[in-house]
């Protein structure tokens, strides 16, 4: 029997820490590989942490509710016939995925034992141990080697998945993704001025575990991971299938290539869709259980010093807070208000609502507003921009040529902003379907991180709950956000031959906040005018 | 600064317009960098002017003459007469076209061309002395510099290239008459190539070599194929003898004197003596003292994987940057240096550099030999195919030699190959690709090769290594 340590892995969200929400096992429990042992909530999502071993839980090293940095040992296992992690000499293990991760863990342990200054050394050592090929020779095509240089990946340290262990472009890419994530965390921990507790090596092992997972559970998790490519080859029928499943084909993981480009098959689409559904279900279930546990806890802690409830400021709430704070204190906000008459829009929507219902689509005003916004953005592209301040001395305004509109959704867990991609290319019905799906999944916390990325402009619909005007906070680094009030009958002055009349009209109040560094008030007003014109006359939207 | 001196500035200064230099200059210019190329002599360097191209031109001419005169078996009866002056003229035409092409390409890519010899003034400027008296000089300031000054033939004591009967490879390619007797000092690849040329043109060739064998650096069974053929052509070898001096002889020719380690002397009569004992890098004209850069003990400028010397913005490519002294290695280094300067993620990370010797038959190698693979920790497996089992080889009348592939038994990765035989220099490209791509024996064997071609030997060698050969007995 040997004792194996397990560290909080990079849970794939590019975050440095997570809240250990609950333990799903306790000391003495027998666990099997890939069995969930804990639930960890990061600032993005609630995830289950699977056991890398078959064995018995020896000790739980973190309290429920504790914030654990990635890389901290959270649990130890007794594992049949295994040496301790601490022992320097280890018998070679069969090359199963779990065992490989075990190996990596033990490499990390070694580096942990030593001072931080030798982190580089231990990383090298790790590479040496991995390199089974004599003299560190790497078998890879020149193009893969160039890609490694471009992505700043040491190809010697990349495990090859090609024939005979040849390093492929995909392997390099996966290693690079691991490095990027660890890079983010390094920056974060540097800003904390705390010790760097996480070696790059480990990040890689976490990534490869995620990406290369062979077991059923791992496999599902891996294929649920969005690939996020720029370009994907697929047959037209496959593309249609992806569209029907509501899947971005660039996100479907695949090992196949054609002409050097990723190639997705119908099978891959089916698998990915299934994996996504399972992942969402698992999250929902875990979420429900966590909520239950959390509820019980807060009840016992209530009623003290006149405080009804102490709610930890962490997880999603804290992320939202930090994001808001960053946005408001970075971008000088100016909010432009206006109201437009939308009688015709109300009629059109009423008229087509039933038609849409026949196609199982609940038609809301949102797709119309989105189309009107695209019209506005086309005419005033500066509002479809982000501000890249990564180099403070050389910041750049990036005017975007795609129309990805984020929809702020209030959920129990806080504000989520799923993004509808390429709004300009989709029909009102498609948009309706997509918005409804994203919003309901956001509320159920089933929306993935990828689905909340890539926005170029954001809509917040406070009117759905009630209200006319507000000051929306920009979804930084975007530069503009449109807030929608409620569509209601409001008094409107109408000119007629007999003089002015005050009549009741369906009106929509709009609040547009802009980053005044990038956008001028005149642009804001002009953009709002275009949006309003399109909303007043919904037939114009047909042109969009 | 000298009074009246013209000082210009450039992003990238390339010193030397050979294969490393001109390629670097063109690539740097393609990347939008203001690039200046300084060349003291002819564009194209040794390769175009005094090496690869002229020697291959003469080799082809000599081969043709020899083959035409030795094809009775095929029913061809001819006694070709060779007009050496005309052949050299034809060769010069090719060289002129190519060097002119290099100059045009440089200009078309926006490279500033400067004639002269560059010498460092400091880490960011050189002084270029223009050739000839009264031609003046100028200073050029640079952000980055690529040194590509190449190499020159090594002279040995008592054999000065300034003396008429002593010739180097350069002069050997420019002779307008065919010497009756030629002593070649050195049995390396240059000596062997030129020996073969002149033997085929009818010269009595004697090769003296200080070492014990010809073509050091090549495996015995590879070198032996060439040596055997050379002897068939009438070339006489004397190993273990170093040339010590030459003197005029009474018959109007010369006598070359050699000495063994034990001091035993021999003499060989000749009309010319060709010294081909190797090449040394050119660094003495650079004024390296001014930038505190020192060549290593073998005279090369040491560089890292980015072709960078110890001084961050000074790069070195080609022969001056170390062995192997091959034009294609220089091409690659030139490209890498230019791209690194342009801020691109380039690096010298090739797995192997192919090399070819244009003897009869040709030798070409890439990557590891069996012994090298073993030394590197692989368990090598070897597959071989003799050219005498190749249908196409038989139809060319050249069946000497073989193709050998070395692979890692465990993974099947091709680690290297040695080919000695007809068109080996062309055939090696497939093996080089296999090594770079990390192809396995199976990959090579399963790739359909055109029949009937010489390239089938590569496929057969791969099959042989896997005990799957059809046209030869498996190893």
């Amino acid at each position: 029997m040997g004792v194996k340590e397990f560290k909080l892995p990079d849970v794939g969200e590019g975050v440095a820490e997570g809240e250990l929400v609950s333990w799903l096992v306790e000391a003495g429990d027998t666990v099997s590989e890939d069995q969930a042992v804990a639930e960890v909530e990061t600032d993005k999502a609630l995830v289950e942490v699977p056991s890398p071993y078959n064995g018995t839980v020896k000790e739980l090293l973190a309290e429920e509710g504790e914030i654990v940095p990635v890389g901290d040992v959270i649990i130890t296992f007794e594992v049949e016939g295994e040496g301790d992690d601490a022992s320097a000499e280890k018998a070679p293990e069969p090359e199963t995925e779990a065992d490989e991760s075990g190996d990596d863990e033990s490499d990390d342990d070694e580096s942990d034992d030593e001072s931080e200054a030798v982190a580089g050394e231990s990383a090298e050592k790790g590479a040496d141990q991995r390199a089974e090929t004599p003299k560190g020779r790497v078998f890879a095509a020149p193009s893969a080697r160039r890609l490694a240089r471009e992505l700043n990946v040491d190809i010697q340290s990349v495990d090859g998945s090609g024939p005979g262990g040849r390093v492929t472009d995909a392997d390099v890419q996966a290693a690079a993704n691991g490095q990027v994530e660890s890079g983010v965390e390094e920056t974060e921990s540097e800003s904390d001025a705390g010790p760097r507790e996480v070696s790059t090596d480990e990040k890689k092992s976490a990534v490869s575990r995620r990406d290369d997972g062979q077991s059923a559970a791992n496999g599902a998790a891996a294929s649920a991971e969005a690939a996020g490519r720029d370009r994907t080859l697929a047959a037209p029928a496959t593309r249609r299938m992806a569209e029907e499943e509501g899947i971005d084909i660039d996100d479907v993981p695949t090992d196949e290539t054609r002409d050097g480009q990723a190639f997705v098959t119908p099978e891959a689409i089916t698998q990915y869709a299934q994996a996504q559904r399972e992942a969402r279900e698992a999250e929902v279930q875990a979420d429900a259980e966590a909520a239950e546990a959390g509820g019980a806890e807060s009840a016992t802690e209530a009623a003290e010093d006149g405080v009804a409830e102490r709610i930890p400021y962490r997880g999603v709430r804290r992320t939202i807070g930090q994001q808001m704070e960053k946005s408001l204190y970075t971008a000088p906000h100016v909010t432009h208000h206006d109201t437009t008459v939308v009688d015709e829009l109300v009629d059109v929507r009423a008229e087509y609502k039933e038609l849409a219902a026949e196609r199982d689509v609940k038609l809301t005003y949102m797709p119309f507003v989105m189309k009107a916004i695209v019209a506005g953005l086309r005419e005033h592209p500066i509002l479809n921009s982000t501000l890249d301040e990564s180099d403070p001395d050389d910041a750049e305004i990036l005017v975007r040529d795609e129309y990805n509109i984020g929809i702020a959704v209030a959920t129990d867990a806080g504000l989520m902003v799923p993004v509808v991609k390429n709004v300009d290319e989709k029909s009102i019905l498609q948009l309706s379907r997509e918005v409804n799906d994203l919003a309901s999944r956001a509320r159920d916390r089933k929306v993935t991180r990828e689905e909340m990325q890539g926005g170029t402009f954001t809509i917040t619909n406070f009117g759905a709950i009630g209200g006319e005007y507000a000051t929306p906070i920009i979804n930084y680094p975007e530069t503009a956000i449109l807030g929608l009030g409620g569509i209601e009958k409001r008094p409107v002055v109408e000119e007629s031959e007999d003089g002015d009349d005050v009549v009741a009209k369906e009106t929509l109040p709009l609040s547009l906040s802009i980053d005044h560094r990038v956008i001028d008030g005149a642009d804001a007003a002009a953009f709002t005018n275009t949006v309003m014109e399109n909303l007043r006359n919904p037939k114009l939207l047909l042109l969009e | 600064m000298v009074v009246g001196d013209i000082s210009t500035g450039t992003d990238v200064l390339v010193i030397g317009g050979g294969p490393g230099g001109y390629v670097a200059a063109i690539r740097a210019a393609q990347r939008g960098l203001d690039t200046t190329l300084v060349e003291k002599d002819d564009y194209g360097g040794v390769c175009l002017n005094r090496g690869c191209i002229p020697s291959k031109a003469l080799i082809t001419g000599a081969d043709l003459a020899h083959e035409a005169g030795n094809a009775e078996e095929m029913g061809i009866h001819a006694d070709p007469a060779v007009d050496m002056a005309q052949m050299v003229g034809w060769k010069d035409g090719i060289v002129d076209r190519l060097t002119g092409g290099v100059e045009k390409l440089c200009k078309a890519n926006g490279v500033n061309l400067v004639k002269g010899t560059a010498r460092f003034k400091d880490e960011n400027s050189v002084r270029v002395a223009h050739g000839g008296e009264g031609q003046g000089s100028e200073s050029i300031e640079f952000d980055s510099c690529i040194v590509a000054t190449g190499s020159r033939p090594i002279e040995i004591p008592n054999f000065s290239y300034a003396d008429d009967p002593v010739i180097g490879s350069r002069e050997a390619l420019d002779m307008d008459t065919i010497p009756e007797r030629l002593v070649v000092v050195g049995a390396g690849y240059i000596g062997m190539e030129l020996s073969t040329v002149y033997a085929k043109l009818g010269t009595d060739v004697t090769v003296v070599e200080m070492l014990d064998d010809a073509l050091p650096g090549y495996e015995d069974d590879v070198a032996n194929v060439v040596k055997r053929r050379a002897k068939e052509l009438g070339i006489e070898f004397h190993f273990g003898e170093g040339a010590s001096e030459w003197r005029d002889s009474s018959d109007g020719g010369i006598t070359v004197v050699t000495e063994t380690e034990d001091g035993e002397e021999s003499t060989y009569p000749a009309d010319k003596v060709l010294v081909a004992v190797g090449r040394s890098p050119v660094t003495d004209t650079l004024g390296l003292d001014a930038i505190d850069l020192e060549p290593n003990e073998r005279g090369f400028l040491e560089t890292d994987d980015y072709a960078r010397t110890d001084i961050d913005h000074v790069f070195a490519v080609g022969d001056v940057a170390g062995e192997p002294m091959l034009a294609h290695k220089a091409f690659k280094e030139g490209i890498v240096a230019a791209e690194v300067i342009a801020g691109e993620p380039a690096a010298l990370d090739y797995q192997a550099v192919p090399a070819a010797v244009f003897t009869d038959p040709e030798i070409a190698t890439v990557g590891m030999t069996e012994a090298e693979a073993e030394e590197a920790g692989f368990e090598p497996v070897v597959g071989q195919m003799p050219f005498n089992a190749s249908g196409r080889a038989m139809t060319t009348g050249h069946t000497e030699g073989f193709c050998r592939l070395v692979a890692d038994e465990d993974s099947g990765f091709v680690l290297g190959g040695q080919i000695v035989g007809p068109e080996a220099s062309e055939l090696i490209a497939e093996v080089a690709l296999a090594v770079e791509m990390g192809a396995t024996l199976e990959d090579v064997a399963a790739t359909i090769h055109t029949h009937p071609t010489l390239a089938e030997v590569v496929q057969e060698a791969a099959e042989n290594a896997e005990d799957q050969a059809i046209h030869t007995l498996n190893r």
Side-chain angles (χ1 to χ4, degrees):
Chain A
M1 288 287 245
V3 177
K4 287 281 183 188
E5 293 181 338
F6 181 67
K7 297 170 186 175
L8 179 62
D10 175 359
V11 284
E13 305 290 328
V15 292
E17 61 186 22
E19 177 186 345
L20 203 145
V21 176
S22 64
W23 283 111
L24 305 176
V25 292
E26 51 189 52
D29 281 3
T30 306
V31 290
S32 55
E33 187 185 324
D34 290 319
Q35 177 186 338
V37 295
E39 287 178 330
V40 174
E41 184 175 33
T42 68
D43 57 1
K44 300 274 171 31
L46 188 75
V47 292
E48 285 186 348
V49 176
S51 164
Y53 309 110
N54 292 317
T56 312
V57 176
K58 183 162 184 273
E59 203 178 354
L60 306 180
L61 297 167
E63 299 286 327
E64 290 188 352
E66 191 179 331
I67 302 284
V68 189
V70 166
D72 267 19
V73 178
I74 55 171
I75 184 169
T76 55
F77 299 96
E78 296 262 15
V79 179
E80 192 73 38
E82 293 281 351
D84 284 3
D85 279 335
S87 68
E89 300 229 357
K90 272 160 53 72
E93 294 170 8
E95 283 189 10
T96 67
E97 201 52 44
D99 285 336
E100 257 176 40
S101 67
D103 277 349
D104 286 347
E105 301 286 344
S106 72
D107 290 349
D108 297 335
D109 294 343
E110 282 168 23
S111 68
D112 276 0
D113 291 344
E114 293 159 21
S115 74
E116 228 189 293
V118 299
E121 255 178 63
S122 79
E124 266 174 39
K125 201 161 42 174
D128 285 347
Q129 285 173 1
R130 241 190 316 279
E132 288 167 17
T133 314
K135 278 200 174 172
R137 193 181 174 93
V138 175
F139 290 97
S143 54
R145 288 199 290 270
R146 181 169 183 97
L147 182 67
R149 292 197 300 277
E150 281 172 357
L151 299 175
N152 213 11
V153 168
D154 175 11
I155 200 161
Q156 303 260 5
S157 66
V158 178
D159 291 329
S161 68
R166 187 160 58 180
V167 177
T168 65
D169 284 11
D171 298 331
V172 172
Q173 198 75 52
N177 290 342
Q179 281 185 7
V180 168
E181 283 174 16
S182 63
V184 168
E185 286 166 30
E186 272 166 35
T187 323
E188 281 176 10
S189 54
E190 268 162 29
S191 68
D192 290 339
R196 229 185 86 207
E197 305 213 10
V198 182
S199 78
T200 320
D201 229 24
E202 174 174 53
K203 234 49 106 315
K204 198 176 308 136
S205 75
V207 166
S208 69
R209 186 159 53 237
R210 193 175 73 235
D211 286 351
D212 302 340
Q214 297 293 319
S215 68
N218 252 6
S223 55
E225 196 72 26
R229 290 178 299 270
D230 288 338
R231 194 159 173 242
T232 303
L233 299 181
T238 314
R239 286 186 190 284
R240 197 162 52 242
M241 192 173 156
E243 215 164 288
E244 284 164 3
E245 288 279 4
I247 286 171
D248 186 346
I249 202 154
D250 286 333
D251 285 340
V252 180
T254 179
D255 290 329
E256 288 198 40
T257 55
R258 294 278 188 282
D259 301 325
Q261 295 274 357
F263 181 82
V264 166
T265 59
E267 290 75 12
I269 300 271
T270 314
Q271 276 171 17
Y272 181 63
Q274 178 66 23
Q276 289 247 308
R277 277 192 288 275
E278 281 172 12
R280 274 183 228 129
E281 277 163 25
E283 261 184 85
V284 170
Q285 198 182 343
D287 203 14
E289 284 167 19
E292 243 177 71
E297 196 178 303
S298 59
T300 56
E301 283 179 9
E304 148 190 25
D305 296 340
V307 176
E309 191 184 356
R310 282 176 181 270
I311 303 169
Y313 180 58
R314 59 170 71 131
V316 175
R317 187 73 261 158
R318 192 175 61 166
T319 306
I320 294 170
Q322 284 168 344
Q323 180 67 12
M324 293 294 172
E325 186 179 294
K326 185 172 184 191
S327 176
L328 192 62
Y329 291 117
T330 307
H333 281 59
V334 167
T335 309
H336 175 89
H337 300 286
D338 211 333
T339 305
T340 184
V341 173
V342 289
D343 275 352
E344 273 192 52
L345 179 63
V346 170
D347 292 345
V348 167
R349 186 243 179 181
E351 191 180 337
Y352 290 109
K353 201 177 161 184
E354 284 180 21
L355 265 176
E358 283 170 21
R359 299 186 194 185
D360 284 339
V361 178
K362 187 183 155 213
L363 187 62
T364 64
Y365 291 108
M366 188 56 86
F368 297 97
V369 175
M370 291 165 84
K371 283 288 183 188
I373 285 172
V374 169
L377 294 177
R378 279 195 211 274
E379 235 170 273
H380 311 281
I382 191 67
L383 279 98
N384 198 33
S385 63
T386 49
L387 188 59
D388 179 4
E389 294 180 277
S390 49
D391 178 356
D393 296 329
D394 199 14
E396 286 177 305
I397 299 167
L398 312 179
V399 179
R400 313 300 293 269
D401 62 359
E402 48 188 15
Y403 302 92
N404 301 336
I405 297 185
I407 312 285
V409 180
T411 73
D412 292 344
L415 200 62
M416 301 267 179
V417 188
V419 176
V420 181
K421 305 266 166 71
N422 304 316
V423 171
D424 54 321
E425 294 168 8
K426 292 174 180 164
S427 71
I428 296 270
L429 275 189
Q430 269 177 310
L431 290 173
S432 256
R433 203 178 280 132
E434 203 168 322
V435 169
N436 294 343
D437 171 55
L438 282 173
S440 74
R441 283 199 287 114
R443 277 190 276 272
D444 296 342
R445 296 195 59 190
K446 285 198 235 163
V447 72
T448 65
R449 180 168 160 249
E450 284 71 26
E451 287 174 314
M452 293 196 279
Q453 288 175 335
T456 61
F457 187 97
T458 298
I459 303 176
T460 175
N461 183 17
F462 47 80
I465 300 164
E468 288 191 49
Y469 300 103
T471 305
I473 305 290
I474 294 164
N475 193 8
Y476 182 84
E478 292 169 22
T479 56
I481 181 169
L482 183 68
L484 306 174
I487 295 181
E488 278 173 26
K489 282 192 173 162
R490 293 185 179 84
V492 172
V493 176
E494 214 168 53
E495 284 180 34
S496 70
E497 285 176 6
D498 307 331
D500 293 344
D501 289 328
V502 176
V503 292
K505 291 264 185 192
E506 296 282 359
T507 55
L508 169 64
L510 300 169
S511 301
L512 175 76
S513 288
I514 51 164
D515 182 340
H516 213 338
R517 292 175 302 172
V518 178
I519 299 166
D520 292 329
D523 293 325
F527 166 79
T528 312
N529 288 342
T530 310
V531 173
M532 292 196 302
E533 191 190 344
N534 279 274
L535 290 173
R536 270 198 302 274
N537 184 359
K539 281 178 196 152
L540 285 177
L541 296 177
L542 295 176
L543 302 177
E544 281 307 314
Chain B
M1 190 184 276
V2 181
V3 176
D5 193 9
I6 313 156
S7 184
T8 48
T10 191
D11 294 339
V12 182
L13 177 79
V14 182
I15 305 176
Y22 81 75
V23 164
I26 290 174
R27 177 51 52 91
Q30 284 172 345
R31 292 295 182 267
L33 297 164
D34 183 86
T35 306
T36 303
L37 172 64
V38 181
E39 167 59 54
K40 68 176 170 52
D41 208 341
D42 297 313
Y43 296 104
V46 171
C47 169
L48 261 58
N49 296 285
R50 304 177 290 283
C52 320
I53 298 300
S55 66
K56 265 83 250 177
L58 290 196
I59 286 168
T60 305
D63 277 351
L64 193 57
H66 179 77
E67 294 210 0
N70 289 274
E72 284 84 8
E73 200 188 15
M74 294 183 199
I76 300 169
H77 302 277
D79 186 11
V82 176
D83 181 335
M84 195 61 189
Q86 199 178 335
M87 192 188 284
V88 167
W90 165 73
K91 177 238 9 172
D92 287 344
I94 295 169
V95 169
D96 287 348
R97 259 207 329 273
L98 284 168
T99 54
V102 167
E103 193 174 344
K104 270 188 217 143
L105 282 172
C106 286
K107 283 182 181 162
N109 279 285
V111 176
N112 310 306
L113 297 176
V114 175
K115 269 277 151 87
T117 307
R119 196 176 182 85
F120 285 104
K121 278 166 69 183
D122 54 51
E123 284 197 357
N124 282 96
S125 67
V126 292
R127 179 150 202 86
V128 178
H130 301 308
E133 259 183 55
Q135 298 298 304
S137 61
E138 64 180 299
S139 291
I140 301 175
E141 290 173 9
F142 57 83
D143 290 338
S144 302
C145 178
I146 299 174
V147 177
T149 42
S151 62
R152 61 166 80 95
I154 295 174
E155 259 189 3
I156 52 173
N158 300 329
F159 291 83
S160 163
Y161 294 123
D163 296 332
D164 190 48
V166 180
I167 59 172
S169 55
R170 176 179 199 158
E171 294 78 16
L173 299 170
D174 282 335
M175 285 195 288
D176 50 13
T177 54
I178 301 166
E180 277 183 31
R181 299 165 299 174
L182 180 68
V183 168
V184 177
V185 181
Y189 78 94
I190 297 174
M192 289 301 288
E193 284 180 3
L194 291 172
S195 299
T196 313
V197 167
Y198 281 99
K200 285 181 176 175
L201 292 172
T203 301
D204 284 338
V205 179
T206 305
V207 177
V208 294
E209 164 62 54
M210 224 155 63
L211 301 175
D212 292 340
D213 211 344
L215 295 164
Y218 291 95
E219 290 162 292
D220 285 349
D221 58 351
V222 172
N224 283 342
V225 175
V226 176
K227 218 165 52 182
R228 202 175 327 131
R229 172 76 179 137
K231 284 178 181 166
E232 270 173 36
L233 290 169
I235 297 172
E236 211 177 285
F237 287 94
H238 298 279
F239 294 109
E241 296 180 21
S244 54
E245 60 170 329
W246 67 273
R247 46 181 181 252
D248 289 319
S249 70
S250 52
D251 65 359
I254 57 168
T255 302
V256 176
V257 184
T258 65
E259 222 173 89
T260 62
E261 252 184 27
D262 308 332
E264 204 176 302
E265 281 195 358
S266 306
T267 56
Y268 302 102
D271 298 310
K272 298 272 185 192
V273 54
L274 165 64
V275 179
V277 293
R279 304 182 65 83
S280 62
V282 177
T283 51
D284 52 348
T285 56
L286 278 165
L288 291 175
D289 294 352
I291 58 168
D292 216 11
L293 193 60
E294 242 183 80
N296 66 17
E297 67 277 8
R298 301 189 53 212
F300 295 112
L301 293 179
E302 282 184 357
T303 52
D304 63 12
D305 286 350
Y306 306 95
R308 212 188 280 271
T309 66
D310 288 341
I311 300 171
D312 260 7
H313 65 287
V314 177
F315 297 72
V317 303
D319 288 359
V320 76
E323 283 176 329
M325 293 192 190
L326 295 168
H328 44 269
K329 187 209 73 160
F331 290 150
K332 177 76 183 168
E333 289 174 345
I335 297 259
V336 166
E339 290 182 351
V340 168
I341 291 170
E344 291 176 24
L348 298 167
D349 66 350
Y350 40 74
Q351 304 298 298
V353 183
V357 182
F358 293 81
T359 41
D360 182 4
E362 294 176 353
I363 301 174
T365 59
V366 68
M368 297 182 185
T369 62
E370 185 177 4
E372 285 165 346
E374 209 160 297
E375 199 180 317
F378 291 100
E379 280 181 25
V381 59
V382 165
Q384 202 153 310
M385 164 75 176
F387 277 96
N388 62 22
S390 154
R392 181 63 183 123
M394 286 181 214
T395 65
T396 66
H398 296 285
T399 52
E400 310 91 347
F402 57 85
C403 168
R404 176 158 62 216
L405 288 189
V406 178
D408 176 33
E409 182 152 36
D410 196 29
S411 59
F413 286 130
V414 178
L415 300 170
Q418 299 84 40
I419 304 177
V420 53
E423 304 294 346
S425 60
E426 302 286 342
L427 296 173
I428 201 68
E430 178 180 357
V431 187
L433 184 68
V435 171
E436 280 297 329
M437 293 295 294
T440 62
L441 287 170
E442 187 189 349
D443 295 333
V444 176
T447 301
I448 295 182
H449 287 62
T450 323
H451 178 78
T453 61
L454 295 171
E456 288 173 290
V457 296
V458 180
Q459 182 181 23
E460 288 274 355
E463 287 171 342
N464 178 258
E466 295 193 305
D467 292 334
Q468 297 296 314
I470 301 288
H471 300 95
T472 51
L473 288 177
N474 288 301
R475 65 195 159 87

